């Protein structure tokens, strides 16, 4: 059971990281090419469409890594790796909730003027790459945790 959930968590992390890469490499690049007011109007349509794939990948990744972390042998190397994977995913959730989501809602509400929207979007993109890096690192540690658990 634990191996199955480990695999689900790893696939979820990989899918989540892939989704984050897609957002950064395609959507964010496109958003930055638009006039800031047009970007915010487009974002109001685009953002809700990005929520479903993000939730469908992050939820099994986060819950699976929590489960495997909790069920791993105490003081094992596998547990340490799964803890890092879980904490990394938790950090991406916190970053999204505290930083990205409020700004996303403000973009959708056309809250910013042209200069502010440009500045906010640039900060959003920079922070998004940090979140993406953390997701990739979480995936690496999940794989290492899985490898250590099957080598016992």
């Amino acid at each position: 059971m634990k191996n199955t959930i480990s695999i689900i968590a790893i696939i979820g992390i990989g899918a989540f990281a892939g989704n984050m890469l897609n957002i950064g490499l395609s959507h964010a690049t496109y958003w930055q090419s638009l006039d800031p007011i047009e970007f915010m109007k487009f974002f109001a349509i685009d953002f809700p469409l990005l929520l479903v794939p993000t939730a469908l990948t992050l939820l099994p990744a986060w819950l699976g890594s929590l489960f495997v972390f909790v069920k791993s042998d105490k003081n094992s190397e596998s547990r340490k790796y799964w803890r890092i994977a879980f904490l990394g995913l938790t950090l991406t959730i916190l970053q999204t909730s505290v930083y990205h989501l409020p700004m996303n809602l403000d973009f959708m509400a056309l809250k910013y003027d042209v200069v502010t929207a440009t500045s906010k979007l640039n900060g959003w993109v920079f922070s998004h790459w940090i979140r993406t890096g953390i997701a990739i690192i979480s995936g690496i540690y999940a794989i290492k945790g899985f490898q250590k658990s099957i080598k016992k």
Side-chain angles (χ1 to χ4, degrees):
M1 172 81 163
K2 189 171 90 171
N3 282 349
T4 301
I5 294 177
S6 296
I7 292 168
I8 290 168
I10 290 167
I11 291 169
I13 295 169
F16 173 67
N19 187 42
M20 294 292 99
L21 285 167
N22 177 50
I23 290 169
L25 293 172
S26 62
H27 294 276
T29 302
Y30 177 66
W31 296 335
Q32 288 178 308
S33 75
L34 297 173
D35 167 80
I37 302 302
E38 290 306 309
F39 150 69
M40 289 189 289
K41 289 177 183 177
F42 183 79
F43 191 81
I45 298 165
D46 211 22
F47 173 66
L49 299 173
L50 295 172
L51 284 176
V52 172
T54 301
L56 289 177
T57 57
L58 183 54
L59 190 59
W62 187 75
L63 290 174
S65 64
L66 173 61
F67 176 86
V68 178
F69 162 62
V70 168
K71 294 295 184 182
S72 294
D73 296 333
K74 303 263 190 249
N75 300 319
S76 68
E77 204 167 357
S78 175
R79 182 180 175 101
K80 291 174 188 172
Y81 290 141
W82 279 105
R83 179 185 323 118
I84 293 168
F86 171 71
L87 291 175
L89 293 173
T90 301
L91 185 59
T92 67
I93 292 168
L94 288 171
Q95 179 181 354
T96 299
S97 300
V98 172
Y99 180 76
H100 289 272
L101 187 58
M103 195 179 307
N104 292 352
L105 296 174
D106 289 344
F107 286 146
M108 292 172 68
L110 301 170
K111 182 176 177 181
Y112 304 119
D113 61 48
V114 171
V115 173
T116 305
T118 300
S119 174
K120 294 280 188 180
L121 178 57
N122 289 337
W124 188 102
V125 171
F126 179 79
S127 183
H128 176 77
W129 285 116
I130 293 170
R131 174 173 61 172
T132 302
I134 293 168
I136 292 168
I137 291 167
S138 294
I140 291 167
Y141 277 93
I143 291 168
K144 290 174 72 135
F146 180 68
Q147 289 173 331
K148 290 293 181 184
S149 70
I150 60 174
K151 287 184 180 179
K152 295 187 339 180

